[in-house]
Amino acid sequence: MVRKYVIGNPFPTEAVVQEFPPEKGLPEQVRISTDNGFELTCSLEDGDRVYGLGENVRGINKRGFRYISDCADAPHHYEDVSSLYAAHNFLIVAGHRTFGLFLDYPATMTFDVGYEKMDELRITCDRADLDLYVLDGDSPQDIVHTFRCMIGRSYIPPRFAFGFGQSRWGYMNEDDIRDVVRKHREAHVPLDMVYMDIDYMERYKDFTVNAERYPDFPAFVEEMRREHVRLIPIIDAGVKIEKGYGTYEEGVAGNYFCKNARGEDFVGEVWPGWVHFPDVLNPEAREWFGGQYRFLVDQGIEGFWNDMNEPSIFKTPEGEAEAKEAARRFADAPAPASTGELQAALRALPNSHENFRRFFHRVGDRMVCHDDVHNLFGYNMTRAAGEAFERMYPDRRILLFSRSSYVGMHRYGGIWQGDNYSWWSHLLLNLKMMPSLNMVGFLYTGADLGGFGSNCSRDLVLRWLALGVFTPLMRNHSAIRTREQEFYRFERPEDFRAVISVRYRLLPYLYSEYMKAALGNDMMFRPLAFVYPEDPVAVEIEDQLMLGDEIMIAPVYQQNMSGRFVYLPETMMLLRFLPDGRLEETVLEKGSHYIPVALNEVILLIRQGRALPLGDVFEYEEAVDDSDLVMHGFPGASYELYSDDGMTRMYDRPENRRTLHMPET
Ligand code: MIG
């Protein structure tokens, strides 16, 4: 049951695809005030839990902190940051009363979840112009399902995207990539994708390929395909200003770029130097920008990642001028000169709302200030590509994921979790974010395994991969100038092979669970609280997750731990993937168990009465054979396998589903 309340004059974000007649009165679950901007409050009782808010730091239960929807290039995911790259304004209050809220509002919005006052949820924003949806349901899981039906089916990637991908900001040319591929194939470490970061471009120009580094790009793409490897290039939001550069010239001629207050194309600085930003809120500009991806698809490319689309702006010419003025005043002031003004001017250069107020989007026949719709940019950049792919390639799937997002973007692509660090706490954050992202429709997701920023350690990478074998996006990615973290940089590379190989044995199960979640508007990763709501211990556990209907995962996330405590809310079967390829099965009783897990092992737990199919180890997705799966789990259990060609969009054919049975004894 969904009630829609229209407050003021909302901006049409197109996050919601179902239509609801607006209610006349006010919701009974919450109090609303529009006296001074917008304010929604509701009381929280002891023991109420609050779920949702998608991409954010901290726990699955969001209670006790303040979160701000304000998409930002936020490379420091410290425990106290209130905004990352996304705005996912959906939450569920669960406890004495259980209901969901979605606040469809495209600018900065603050969610105080029992932070100022421990017994109050308070949601505020500057303008009282939004659609508020109140969702009723019997359980949090039921409310998530209702919400997901409202916002439309989640993006479905090609099946190769469930393979393992290796990435690093720093692969400079063909030979660097050949080297990565060769080392994987020689050591029999599975590999399906190598990601191309900004250095493949010609001076960071979107939809160009550097001809010195890649003299015959289509031939190189083809060579990699013969190795069963897909190259996945990055696309940045800003288009370099450069005479003679096609994308720039077309964008100017077509009026497809965002404007400044004087009606000229707005200028900001990002990697390419001065750039313009495609006005992806304008459907014509969106169609044009999406069409640009064809340049790479025509050369054999089958997937993309969209970056810097909050959008991230290093500075604007106006901001630079102001900072230089402040620097001059600082230079001229008698010593000891105060640094306050200069520091403030420098802080205001990147990613500031001052910059966001300097540019405009064309929406219908009016110009809308970017700051008022800021959280929609990454969504619509990725939508540009997604819509173009549906238009240009109706019969095939293209891999697509984004850094920035808003609810609604989940229909066009996935997201990765951005610039984490090689920190053990970020391994745990990766785990905790999975169900929250599923709640808001993002199923194709994962974090930079091993950590993006700072230097990793061997054991961290191994433990993180042992979580990554379960996340739909499984990618090892790291930043330039950090310790290299491909498997072959470490001692005993065979340990990495053991862990990564498990992914390919699980692939038929993971793909099935993904497809069932996508087609059924459901979650793939659930908190234990959603499955065992009556178990007072299970409802608070956040370092274990349910994955699909059959299994629970419990990765080790602390250094120098040779195992961990795992809580079993029911009898379960521990399945251990040993490094030599053998499996070990042990039935464990409900309760707490200390489970040893070596660095080269992966464990999972099968629920009572359930079973999952496992295949053999393969070195790339195309080789994965799901006609020959072996069921593991409890006698008599059955499993519905989803399997299709992994490439076309014929998801609903009955022959895509078949039931596998586990023998009775
Ligand atoms: O300012 O393209 O999050 O994955 O490697 C940094 C370089 C820009 C940020 C992305 C990261 C990527 C990096 N990018």
Side-chain angles (χ1 to χ4, degrees):
M1 172 75 179
V2 181
R3 289 197 182 80
K4 175 180 181 178
Y5 301 88
V6 177
I7 294 155
N9 188 14
F11 184 88
T13 67
E14 298 175 85
V16 174
V17 295
Q18 281 180 350
E19 302 226 7
F20 300 96
E23 299 288 326
K24 298 244 160 41
L26 287 170
E28 57 188 49
Q29 290 91 337
V30 296
R31 285 176 305 280
I32 286 172
S33 153
T34 54
D35 296 341
N36 182 13
F38 170 82
E39 182 191 63
L40 177 154
T41 51
C42 104
S43 60
L44 298 174
E45 308 276 331
D46 284 355
D48 283 355
R49 283 182 287 275
V50 180
Y51 298 110
L53 296 177
E55 184 180 84
N56 264 300
V57 297
R58 298 205 174 210
I60 299 173
N61 179 357
K62 303 315 273 188
R63 197 159 171 182
F65 197 57
R66 182 168 53 198
Y67 302 89
I68 302 176
S69 285
D70 178 18
C71 298
D73 179 352
H76 312 294
H77 305 176
Y78 301 135
E79 196 173 307
D80 64 343
V81 300
S82 40
S83 315
L84 295 175
Y85 313 85
H88 298 152
N89 302 344
F90 170 68
L91 36 85
I92 298 170
V93 178
H96 292 75
R97 297 170 302 163
T98 297
F99 60 94
L101 296 171
F102 177 53
L103 299 102
D104 192 4
Y105 178 77
T108 302
M109 178 169 257
T110 300
F111 297 82
D112 178 326
V113 192
Y115 175 74
E116 287 290 340
K117 292 188 191 159
M118 64 189 215
D119 59 357
E120 187 179 79
L121 168 69
R122 183 165 175 265
I123 303 172
T124 51
C125 61
D126 283 351
R127 283 176 294 114
D129 295 312
L130 66 147
D131 287 326
L132 167 68
Y133 297 84
V134 181
L135 291 75
D136 286 320
D138 295 336
S139 65
Q141 180 155 335
D142 192 35
I143 291 169
V144 168
H145 177 69
T146 302
F147 181 57
R148 297 275 303 284
C149 292
M150 272 170 64
I151 60 175
R153 192 176 76 197
S154 295
Y155 165 75
I156 296 174
R159 198 175 76 149
F160 73 75
F162 291 82
F164 172 62
Q166 181 59 52
S167 183
R168 177 164 173 93
W169 178 12
Y171 298 152
M172 280 303 172
N173 52 36
E174 285 186 352
D175 281 338
D176 284 356
I177 293 178
R178 280 196 186 100
D179 194 50
V180 172
V181 173
R182 189 180 324 113
K183 293 215 163 89
H184 280 79
R185 292 291 177 245
E186 276 170 11
H188 302 288
V189 174
L191 180 71
D192 265 287
M193 288 155 287
V194 176
Y195 287 80
M196 302 175 78
D197 210 315
I198 48 177
D199 299 297
Y200 79 88
M201 293 183 254
E202 191 189 299
R203 279 170 290 121
Y204 306 134
K205 281 148 59 183
D206 281 341
F207 315 112
T208 68
V209 175
N210 185 308
E212 271 151 47
R213 297 172 181 188
Y214 299 89
D216 186 347
F217 190 59
F220 182 59
V221 175
E222 175 60 30
E223 178 190 328
M224 291 296 106
R225 279 295 285 120
R226 283 197 298 274
E227 296 284 342
H228 308 282
V229 168
R230 265 95 173 181
L231 300 176
I232 312 295
I234 195 170
I235 303 292
D236 279 6
V239 173
K240 184 174 176 65
I241 299 175
E242 186 183 279
K243 275 236 157 349
Y245 158 42
T247 304
Y248 162 77
E249 298 278 359
E250 278 179 35
V252 171
N255 244 329
Y256 297 141
F257 291 126
C258 294
K259 302 291 180 190
N260 66 21
R262 294 183 299 277
E264 303 149 352
D265 290 337
F266 167 74
V267 178
E269 188 204 14
V270 203
W271 290 109
W274 297 123
V275 302
H276 294 322
F277 292 95
D279 184 2
V280 286
L281 265 59
N282 166 3
E284 284 160 37
R286 198 157 67 227
E287 186 177 335
W288 165 74
F289 191 76
Q292 299 290 306
Y293 286 74
R294 182 186 273 279
F295 169 79
L296 288 155
V297 179
D298 281 348
Q299 301 184 65
I301 291 300
E302 297 170 72
F304 300 89
W305 46 312
N306 283 346
D307 192 19
M308 306 302 272
N309 53 3
E310 294 70 29
S312 177
I313 304 176
F314 296 168
K315 59 175 140 68
T316 54
E318 296 89 337
E320 179 166 333
E322 284 166 16
K324 282 183 171 167
E325 275 308 314
R328 258 177 229 120
R329 281 194 291 276
F330 176 72
D332 293 344
S338 155
T339 57
E341 189 210 354
L342 177 57
Q343 281 181 1
L346 292 175
R347 263 198 310 274
L349 288 178
N351 303 323
S352 67
H353 281 270
E354 270 146 66
N355 288 339
F356 301 155
R357 284 190 284 273
R358 292 186 166 120
F359 68 104
F360 297 83
H361 299 274
R362 181 188 310 284
V363 177
D365 49 14
R366 61 195 177 109
M367 297 305 282
V368 175
C369 180
H370 176 77
D371 200 46
D372 294 339
V373 290
H374 171 65
N375 292 340
L376 302 180
F377 193 91
Y379 161 23
N380 282 285
M381 177 195 173
T382 297
R383 180 180 177 186
E387 286 175 338
F389 297 154
E390 284 168 22
R391 196 169 64 235
M392 300 189 292
Y393 317 110
D395 299 328
R396 58 188 279 214
R397 309 178 211 169
I398 306 272
L399 172 58
L400 179 63
F401 58 91
S402 174
R403 193 169 70 179
S404 186
S405 64
Y406 184 85
V407 170
M409 202 204 85
H410 71 289
R411 299 191 295 269
Y412 304 98
I415 52 179
W416 89 98
Q417 297 173 8
D419 297 346
N420 55 12
Y421 278 94
S422 295
W423 292 350
W424 292 88
S425 60
H426 282 177
L427 193 175
L428 184 57
L429 180 61
N430 180 180
L431 181 81
K432 290 185 182 184
M433 228 191 272
M434 296 303 293
S436 304
L437 290 176
N438 280 194
M439 290 175 207
V440 295
F442 291 95
L443 297 180
Y444 191 75
T445 182
D448 290 351
L449 303 174
F452 175 75
S454 71
N455 296 325
C456 64
S457 59
R458 177 182 184 274
D459 53 351
L460 175 68
V461 179
L462 276 167
R463 289 300 195 199
W464 212 325
L465 286 166
L467 163 61
V469 297
F470 297 109
T471 61
L473 169 63
M474 180 189 185
R475 180 177 76 148
N476 175 341
H477 181 52
S478 57
I480 197 162
R481 288 184 288 274
T482 61
R483 182 180 184 184
E484 290 168 305
Q485 62 190 43
E486 296 84 3
F487 81 88
Y488 46 85
R489 310 287 180 188
F490 303 105
E491 294 153 87
R492 291 179 53 98
E494 62 275 22
D495 290 349
F496 291 80
R497 180 177 67 221
V499 172
I500 295 171
S501 294
V502 171
R503 167 61 161 221
Y504 288 74
R505 304 196 68 182
L506 285 168
L507 205 144
Y509 176 70
L510 296 174
Y511 186 67
S512 287
E513 292 308 309
Y514 187 96
M515 294 303 289
K516 287 189 241 171
L519 299 174
N521 293 316
D522 207 340
M523 299 165 74
M524 182 173 172
F525 292 86
R526 297 190 192 99
L528 271 59
F530 282 29
V531 181
Y532 305 99
E534 307 298 334
D535 180 329
V537 178
V539 293
E540 292 192 344
I541 287 183
E542 299 203 350
D543 60 356
Q544 308 171 196
L545 292 177
M546 309 309 294
L547 195 185
D549 288 329
E550 329 302 316
I551 69 171
M552 181 171 82
I553 61 171
V556 176
Y557 56 88
Q558 284 172 299
Q559 189 161 29
N560 299 321
M561 294 286 287
S562 50
R564 58 164 288 178
F565 278 98
V566 181
Y567 176 73
L568 273 52
E570 57 180 326
T571 297
M572 289 185 175
M573 181 184 285
L574 169 66
L575 190 68
R576 180 187 302 278
F577 295 85
L578 294 164
D580 62 6
R582 282 181 308 125
L583 292 168
E584 197 182 84
E585 298 177 355
T586 323
V587 175
L588 299 173
E589 296 302 309
K590 173 182 159 107
S592 265
H593 298 264
Y594 184 82
I595 302 182
V597 189
L599 274 176
N600 54 9
E601 292 176 349
V602 176
I603 60 154
L604 58 81
L605 294 124
I606 307 172
R607 294 178 64 185
Q608 183 157 38
R610 314 286 176 110
L612 88 164
L614 292 179
D616 290 332
V617 174
F618 295 99
E619 289 186 31
Y620 46 88
E621 175 271 338
E622 279 168 299
V624 172
D625 175 7
D626 53 20
S627 65
D628 196 19
L629 302 171
V630 177
M631 293 277 278
H632 292 264
F634 290 88
S638 58
Y639 178 70
E640 187 188 49
L641 183 79
Y642 179 98
S643 129
D644 60 13
D645 61 21
M647 240 327 161
T648 66
R649 299 179 193 240
M650 289 181 289
Y651 307 124
D652 299 319
R653 296 186 312 185
E655 60 265 38
N656 293 350
R657 292 174 194 256
R658 63 179 201 267
T659 305
L660 305 175
H661 300 280
M662 185 73 199
E664 278 297 340
T665 47

